[in-house]
Amino acid sequence: MLVNKPKIVILGAGYAGLTTVARLQKSISASEAEIILINKNDYHYETTWLHEASVGTLHHDRARYEIASVIKKNKVTFIKDDVVEIKKDEQKVILANSEVAYDYLVVAIGAVPETFGIKGLNEYAFMITNINGARKIREHIESQFAKYHDKDKKDPYITIVVGGAGFTGIEFLGELVNRVPELCKEYDVDPANVKILCVEAAPTVLPGFDEELVDYAVKLLKKKGVEFHIGTAIKECTETGIIVSKGEETEEIPAGTVIWAAGVRGNPIVENGGIETTRGRVKVDKDLRAPGESNIFVIGDSSLVINEENNRPYPPTAQIAMQQADTCAKNVKALLRGEQHLAAFKPDIKGSVCSLGEHDAIGLVFGKKLMGTPASLMKKVIDNRALFMVGGAPLVVKKGKFNIL
């Protein structure tokens, strides 16, 4: 008699989803369950490399690899499609072109930009969100330099505004200040006619990061031409620039390029699926299941895990996502095998490194402060380790970063 195998459905092939698949395909047999991975692209992209692809210091193809290259086809069925809706009461997922039933669901569909309702951002600002977004940013910035000599000389500047001084914004700026001199030389633009502004509503750059390391980063970026507007809020983005406010003062800043890098929120598909959320993110139970759900796990950027030491959420990082995937895979396997005890997720924060260009960075790793080349080297080690955790040595050899000096 034929018995239908349980279906484990994973939504999203980002750090969390693809790592979950990598763990499950190693730990369960093909006869135990059917693993189904659903993603809108047939490739995975390294989100933490998008700032490089956006500036053009790294080709966008280097930041992605085919999903087929890291999954075991005898164990995993891959479906390329858009997730439209989660129907948890019916235990199925509605896709743009079909629908899939599940016994166990892992929601890892990532985040979307948080615009905080600021007028004009969706229409006129660029977002560092995916491969296509990165490609558009690079092409737009290059076009600004290419068209410079056709500009109205009443405005002699190529002005690039970065909204947000968190990790994404600072890493983008680190790449940008190294790329601008190359663009100036290529398109015969005087570097003095390029303005790079960073606008941050918070009172500091990289909020919550070590002050000495932040000071190093700010001084380096200022030296390379970045003008910081800290404690300044973007009130509106227009076709010709931004409107900002600081205190009671309002100012209009002309700009040909506005990059929004000031936060994310969980994917609305999760909230629309009847799962309780906060800003689109699910405050998951200790075993990473959605509250009140016995067979739905939420990991990655759509999940919310509280750091009990300060009662604040852990930041949505690749490090957290991949660690969640390890715990999630163990717990899905436990449920599959009828085990009652599920593992609690315990983040092991080894540190954080913020890139400031290919050969510079700041970091706090295992409690030790790193700056400059040592921090940059550690960043490459972290990037290569993420590749290894999913695709092993072959993926590291194919996509890894080895340019140290």
Side-chain angles (χ1 to χ4, degrees):
M1 182 178 68
L2 292 176
V3 178
N4 289 332
K5 291 185 293 185
K7 289 185 178 181
I8 303 169
V9 175
I10 296 102
L11 306 181
Y15 291 109
L18 200 56
T19 305
T20 301
V21 171
R23 297 294 174 270
L24 286 172
Q25 69 182 6
K26 287 182 180 179
S27 61
I28 65 174
S29 66
S31 62
E32 283 185 277
E34 182 180 0
I35 303 171
I36 301 172
L37 173 62
I38 301 170
N39 196 61
K40 64 181 179 180
N41 301 309
D42 57 8
Y43 58 82
H44 161 92
Y45 57 86
E46 296 288 298
T47 307
T48 58
W49 299 12
L50 287 180
H51 61 284
E52 299 170 73
S54 297
V55 172
T57 52
L58 181 81
H59 193 277
H60 59 266
D61 281 339
R62 280 290 313 282
R64 64 179 175 179
Y65 54 85
E66 291 184 359
I67 291 170
S69 69
V70 295
I71 62 174
K72 296 180 179 180
K73 295 178 182 178
N74 65 321
K75 289 187 176 182
V76 180
T77 300
F78 172 63
I79 299 175
K80 179 185 175 183
D81 208 341
D82 288 305
V83 177
V84 175
E85 184 181 1
I86 297 170
K87 292 194 171 184
K88 63 186 183 70
D89 294 335
E90 300 175 40
Q91 291 199 177
K92 66 181 181 181
V93 178
I94 307 301
L95 308 178
N97 299 295
S98 64
E99 61 181 50
V100 177
Y102 65 82
D103 294 285
Y104 306 99
L105 180 66
V106 178
V107 181
I109 49 178
V112 297
E114 174 61 274
T115 61
F116 304 103
I118 297 173
K119 184 179 178 181
L121 279 181
N122 285 320
E123 292 80 9
Y124 302 115
F126 292 89
M127 316 279 183
I128 308 173
T129 54
N130 52 42
I131 289 290
N132 287 334
R135 200 158 30 197
K136 289 176 182 177
I137 292 171
R138 186 200 73 232
E139 291 172 353
H140 175 79
I141 290 175
E142 289 179 355
S143 74
Q144 293 291 293
F145 282 81
K147 296 185 294 186
Y148 175 74
H149 295 289
D150 300 326
K151 278 171 62 76
D152 179 355
K153 288 304 182 286
K154 292 178 182 177
D155 176 16
Y157 298 108
I158 295 174
T159 303
I160 302 171
V161 171
V162 176
F167 264 64
T168 302
I170 294 302
E171 289 195 320
F172 179 86
L173 287 165
E175 295 295 326
L176 182 63
V177 294
N178 290 339
R179 178 77 169 125
V180 162
E182 298 175 357
L183 291 170
C184 286
K185 185 176 181 180
E186 181 176 354
Y187 293 103
D188 301 315
V189 175
D190 185 343
N193 291 335
V194 179
K195 293 175 69 174
I196 302 172
L197 284 64
C198 179
V199 181
E200 170 59 57
T204 181
V205 170
L206 294 172
F209 209 62
D210 181 85
E211 289 185 12
E212 182 183 1
L213 297 177
V214 172
D215 185 58
Y216 175 92
V218 170
K219 285 181 178 177
L220 176 72
L221 294 173
K222 282 184 175 180
K223 184 179 179 180
K224 292 187 176 183
V226 178
E227 180 182 320
F228 286 92
H229 294 245
I230 304 303
T232 304
I234 295 179
K235 307 303 289 185
E236 184 179 347
C237 183
T238 69
E239 191 173 3
T240 57
I242 58 172
I243 298 172
V244 301
S245 67
K246 187 170 186 178
E248 296 183 358
E249 296 183 6
T250 300
E251 178 186 2
E252 186 170 355
I253 300 175
T257 306
V258 178
I259 310 295
W260 181 248
V264 296
R265 62 178 289 125
N267 196 303
I269 288 172
V270 182
E271 187 173 12
N272 295 340
I275 301 173
E276 183 180 345
T277 63
T278 302
R279 280 184 58 199
R281 300 174 69 192
V282 180
K283 187 177 179 181
V284 292
D285 294 337
K286 291 184 181 298
D287 56 22
L288 299 177
R289 285 184 288 189
E293 305 297 334
S294 62
N295 62 343
I296 299 177
F297 294 83
V298 183
I299 59 177
D301 290 350
S302 287
S303 71
L304 189 66
V305 177
I306 301 297
N307 183 343
E308 295 179 356
E309 292 181 5
N310 57 20
N311 200 35
R312 297 181 63 183
Y314 285 100
T317 64
Q319 180 179 190
I320 290 283
M322 297 182 86
Q323 289 181 12
Q324 284 182 318
D326 284 336
T327 301
C328 179
K330 290 176 184 176
N331 287 340
V332 170
K333 183 176 70 172
L335 289 177
L336 184 66
R337 295 178 177 176
E339 298 174 14
Q340 300 300 314
H341 177 72
L342 298 187
F345 174 61
K346 296 179 180 178
D348 179 18
I349 308 301
K350 295 175 173 62
S352 298
V353 179
C354 180
S355 172
L356 300 171
E358 186 174 11
H359 302 301
D360 216 326
I362 55 172
L364 191 62
V365 182
F366 297 114
K368 183 178 180 181
K369 297 179 186 180
L370 299 175
M371 307 177 196
T373 302
S376 179
L377 176 59
M378 180 56 68
K379 175 67 172 173
K380 292 178 175 63
V381 169
I382 293 170
D383 288 344
N384 289 343
R385 182 175 181 272
L387 294 173
F388 182 81
M389 288 177 67
V390 174
L395 186 58
V396 177
V397 171
K398 185 177 180 180
K399 291 291 183 177
K401 293 183 176 179
F402 305 105
N403 187 8
I404 297 172
L405 299 175

